Amino acid sequence: MLSEGLSSSALEYLHRCPICDGQRLSHYCRVPSCFYDGQYIHYDRCHDCGSVLRNPRWLAAHSYAKYENWSPPDEEKRLEPDLQKHYRYLVRLIDRVYPEDAPRRLLDFGCGAGGFLLEAREAGFQGQGLEPGRKMAEHVRHAHGFEVFADLDEERFAGERYPLIVSLQVFEHLNDPRRTLGELREHLIAPGMIYIEVPNLN
């Protein structure tokens, strides 16, 4: 049964791990779709690096178009107290290892509703966001006053450099996380730091 109610033309089946390029993939589990009754999301596990990945998955073009044109409902724009508490914890965690002499400037890659940017600003960071969802990016700009870029390839983003790049619960949605990580490193001021948070399916 097709994942998420999509036609086969919108899906691709992976024969290699997008993290380590390993070819030893096997079925890990399936979970019910949150959006389509009777549909399941299937996951494989890579025996080389241990990553669990969705397989089949959306094609990159379909996935990007979905985010770019998404109209977030009001509840997605709200700042959830529990999530803000988690963001405050992450800011404190980062502060423990952040060089005292480094500029307090960061990029939140996949900034969503801007919750982490707000907590970082409270801690003295100057933050900018990158959010492909155009309407969510517009909301963050107008509601919280942050500069938000739409894409790594955006012309006005080309010259931006940061001592800190943060990405929270985003990399698991990327079709080519290794390539994206390489592109982000080009915007990092050496020695710099990239903090990535991804979910654990367990």
Side-chain angles (χ1 to χ4, degrees), residues 20 48 92 140 156 165 174 176 178 182 199:
C20 74
D48 293 318
R92 291 196 301 269
V140 175
R156 67 191 181 101
I165 298 176
L174 302 177
D176 195 344
R178 290 191 302 174

Side-chain angles (χ1 to χ4, degrees), residues 14-167:
L14 300 177
H15 299 281
R16 291 179 177 270
C17 173
I19 304 299
C20 74
D21 208 35
Q23 299 181 57
R24 297 192 301 147
L25 305 178
S26 64
H27 177 70
Y28 182 77
C29 71
R30 69 174 192 170
V31 296
S33 170
C34 295
F35 305 103
Y36 298 94
D37 290 338
Q39 299 284 330
Y40 291 87
I41 300 173
H42 297 261
Y43 291 93
D44 283 356
R45 181 178 181 272
C46 173
H47 290 273
D48 293 318
C49 71
S51 295
V52 174
L53 51 126
R54 180 175 177 168
N55 201 14
R57 67 179 185 180
W58 290 333
L59 290 166
H62 177 90
S63 182
Y64 185 81
K66 174 179 176 289
Y67 283 115
E68 184 182 30
N69 299 314
W70 178 52
S71 295
D74 289 342
E75 56 265 25
E76 292 288 340
K77 299 176 184 177
R78 296 191 191 107
L79 303 177
E80 298 293 336
D82 287 345
L83 200 51
Q84 294 306 118
K85 183 178 179 180
H86 177 61
Y87 291 153
R88 284 192 293 275
Y89 164 76
L90 292 182
V91 171
R92 291 196 301 269
L93 189 68
I94 290 169
D95 245 343
R96 291 176 193 164
V97 296
Y98 196 77
E100 291 185 6
D101 58 345
R104 295 181 72 80
R105 185 168 189 264
L106 66 85
L107 173 72
D108 185 357
F109 175 70
C111 67
F116 179 82
L117 286 171
L118 286 170
E119 298 300 336
R121 184 162 65 187
E122 285 293 313
F125 283 93
Q126 176 197 359
Q128 294 179 325
L130 192 149
E131 174 55 50
R134 291 176 294 185
K135 292 187 179 179
M136 182 64 90
E138 183 179 338
H139 165 73
V140 175
R141 291 189 199 103
H142 293 159
H144 306 303
F146 293 106
E147 183 170 14
V148 182
F149 302 98
D151 194 275
L152 285 168
D153 296 327
E154 188 174 336
E155 185 175 345
R156 67 191 181 101
F157 182 67
E160 297 291 342
R161 299 292 183 273
Y162 307 88
L164 172 63
I165 298 176
V166 175
S167 183

